[in-house]
Amino acid sequence: MTVLSQTALLHELEPVVEKNLDRHLSLAKEWFPHEYVPWSEGRTFDGPLDGEAWAEADSTLPEVARTALIVNLLTEDNLPSYHHQIATLFGRDGAWGTWVHRWTAEEGRHGTAIRDYLTVTRAVDPVALERARMAHMSAGFSNAHDKEMLHSLAYVSFQELATRISHRNTGRAAGDPRCEALLARVAADENLHMVFYRNLLGAALEVAPSQAMRAVADVLADFEMPGAGMEGFARKSVAIALAGIYDLRQHRDEVVVPVLRQWNLFEVTGLDADGEQARDEIGAHLDALETHAARFEEKRDARAARLASRP
């Protein structure tokens, strides 16, 4: 079976990009970050303008919601690294280039909107937030397969859906209808992005089935959210999972399984030996995720029972 080069894959998928770009532009709704921010609540902070220093009591959001919002915002902040990666892989010409810039523009307003909401409502310490942003962006972003186009398409197919779910659940956990409305708007963008990438990888499974299958298997085997490199991510992820904002069960049942089902992955034909092996690896990975998710749920339930029994 012929292995297609990166250039050949870009050429083969160009018509699919054009079609899905047109679809995306017909469905994407124009919206404005400033409309989701309660500006009248804003107060000047301490510093050169002699305002009021931030205090923990300023925030009315639950701690876990603040944690999730910070993780989500810092993830959005790394947009320059993401743009560099997809611009390098997909190029800046034709439909591919149009998509790269459109996606970047849409993602850019997510960070703007979330930061404005957090700052105006004094939901987080702005000094700590800025220091975290500087540290996270200074490290940049890369993944294990950032030089492989099909691997990148597979990764964002899962990651965009995971981000959508995380934003929606964070909004609900916040207990603030304004925050929930903002994150629901952000999540709607992420869903459209997921569909775009999912459709491209679906087409790749027809054009180069074994290469695409291998990409999916490799990505699932070492999948990490793009914020994994930020300071304290593991601890924050545990808190987020314990709160039910994003955990292994949601990752398996609401992200991985629906995307694989949409691709009809276990019925793909025309695979070579490595493609078949990759599909077997995906099946085994799903089984392992089920085991780990069930184990986490048991531990979370036991923890909740212990906490409830305390006087």
Side-chain angles (χ1 to χ4, degrees):
M1 186 173 293
T2 303
V3 175
L4 296 181
S5 67
Q6 299 284 300
T7 302
L9 287 167
L10 288 169
H11 178 74
E12 289 287 337
L13 293 176
E14 178 96 16
V16 185
V17 176
E18 291 177 357
K19 177 181 177 181
N20 280 276
L21 177 59
D22 289 342
R23 177 189 181 280
H24 178 84
L25 294 176
S26 72
L27 294 174
K29 294 189 181 346
E30 183 180 47
W31 65 279
F32 304 97
H34 73 275
E35 295 180 345
Y36 290 83
V37 179
W39 298 100
S40 60
E41 294 184 13
R43 307 198 308 275
T44 303
F45 286 96
D46 60 329
L49 300 183
D50 296 324
E52 218 179 311
W54 183 84
E56 188 79 25
D58 289 346
S59 176
T60 60
L61 295 183
E63 183 178 357
V64 72
R66 284 192 285 154
T67 297
L69 278 162
I70 291 169
V71 169
N72 291 348
L73 173 56
L74 293 179
T75 299
E76 300 285 1
D77 277 336
N78 242 349
L79 182 60
S81 283
Y82 314 145
H83 173 85
H84 172 76
Q85 183 173 344
I86 66 171
T88 301
L89 282 171
F90 301 156
R92 298 171 182 267
D93 301 319
W96 283 106
T98 301
W99 168 255
V100 166
H101 295 301
R102 173 72 189 202
W103 175 86
T104 302
E106 291 184 4
E107 288 286 349
R109 66 186 166 198
H110 298 169
T112 297
I114 297 171
R115 174 171 284 98
D116 285 346
Y117 168 82
L118 291 175
T119 304
V120 168
T121 61
R122 299 175 80 97
V124 297
D125 179 349
V127 173
L129 181 64
E130 175 61 10
R131 286 172 176 164
R133 186 191 71 84
M134 287 294 292
H136 189 49
M137 290 188 69
S138 294
F141 169 80
S142 63
N143 61 51
H145 311 286
D146 58 7
K147 293 181 174 56
E148 299 292 331
M149 190 262 282
L150 290 182
H151 285 73
S152 292
L153 288 180
Y155 176 77
V156 289
S157 296
F158 297 114
Q159 178 264 319
E160 293 279 8
L161 181 52
T163 303
R164 185 199 91 180
I165 290 170
S166 177
H167 281 310
R168 286 304 303 266
N169 289 342
T170 299
R172 296 186 183 107
D176 180 354
R178 302 165 305 180
C179 181
E180 185 169 2
L182 165 59
L183 293 183
R185 182 58 263 174
V186 170
D189 280 358
E190 305 289 12
N191 194 62
L192 286 178
H193 298 163
M194 178 274 294
V195 171
F196 180 92
Y197 290 123
R198 188 190 67 193
N199 288 351
L200 284 190
L201 201 283
L205 282 164
E206 298 178 6
V207 172
S210 295
Q211 288 174 258
M213 191 70 72
R214 170 49 61 194
V216 173
D218 289 347
V219 164
L220 287 178
D222 53 19
F223 182 85
E224 286 186 324
M225 291 295 278
M230 71 180 63
E231 185 178 351
F233 182 78
R235 173 179 50 81
K236 292 170 183 173
S237 295
V238 170
I240 289 168
L242 288 173
I245 292 174
Y246 193 83
D247 58 27
L248 276 174
R249 174 61 62 199
Q250 290 157 321
H251 179 68
R252 183 193 185 280
D253 294 357
E254 299 179 34
V255 176
V256 177
V257 169
V259 172
L260 297 182
R261 185 184 300 122
Q262 187 69 32
W263 288 331
N264 207 20
L265 185 132
F266 291 103
E267 281 72 49
V268 169
T269 59
L271 297 174
D272 60 18
D274 184 64
E276 293 287 1
Q277 181 179 334
R279 180 155 57 188
D280 289 343
E281 291 171 15
I282 293 167
H285 181 74
L286 283 177
D287 292 341
L289 275 179
E290 174 61 35
T291 299
H292 294 316
R295 189 175 300 146
F296 174 79
E297 288 170 326
E298 290 174 5
K299 291 181 178 179
R300 180 167 60 190
D301 292 345
R303 178 180 181 274
R306 286 196 306 272
L307 292 174
S309 66
R310 290 179 181 175

